[in-house]
Amino acid sequence: VQLQASGGGLVRAGGSLKLSCAVSQLTTSTNFMGWFRQAPGKEREFLAHIAWREGRKYYADAVKGRFTISRNAAEYMVYLQMNDLKPEDTAIYYCAASRAPATVTSSYNTWGQGTLVTVSS
């Protein structure tokens, strides 16, 4: 399985971005798709995950209400819509695949290469 994240860029505070993650194939290792981010000097942080088959979603408290995870099963795509962005959202954003719902990086077996999001004040 390969994951390809895209959609990052430079945006002003209060703006929006939609990240995309292309999934090469669906297997049991992609039962759940997650988004994480890592800011400079910080640990990788869980944001949200979605069950590929049922579409159930789960969010970290830090982004609940501002970020929305979704998937297009027919096109093997996962998305992260980010609204009301803040400078502290600046980070490299990663999509990842897991066999089970999880919020820790060690549970995800496959990672995309990351896409940089920079939010200016």
Side-chain angles (χ1 to χ4, degrees):
V1 176
Q2 293 182 325
L3 307 179
Q4 180 77 32
S6 62
L10 175 63
V11 64
R12 290 180 182 268
S16 298
L17 274 178
K18 186 174 185 177
L19 306 183
S20 301
C21 178
V23 184
S24 64
Q25 59 180 314
L26 299 184
T27 70
T28 54
S29 67
T30 60
N31 285 343
F32 291 82
M33 297 297 300
W35 283 99
F36 290 74
R37 68 185 177 190
Q38 188 165 19
K42 294 189 176 182
E43 294 186 352
R44 198 165 294 190
E45 174 189 17
F46 167 79
L47 300 176
H49 67 60
I50 186 167
W52 192 267
R53 187 169 295 180
E54 301 86 2
R56 292 192 317 271
K57 306 171 185 180
Y58 180 83
Y59 296 93
D61 288 342
V63 301
K64 198 175 295 183
R66 292 195 301 128
F67 291 9
T68 301
I69 190 171
S70 62
R71 91 270 189 252
N72 182 322
E75 295 188 356
Y76 292 15
M77 296 291 295
V78 180
Y79 304 99
L80 187 69
Q81 175 69 45
M82 306 185 294
N83 298 329
D84 189 24
L85 283 163
K86 308 175 188 302
E88 52 264 40
D89 293 318
T90 295
I92 299 174
Y93 284 70
Y94 298 89
C95 59
S98 174
R99 295 179 181 275
T103 61
V104 296
T105 57
S106 58
S107 295
Y108 286 79
N109 49 71
T110 305
W111 293 81
Q113 84 289 3
T115 185
L116 177 63
V117 172
T118 303
V119 184
S120 63
S121 57

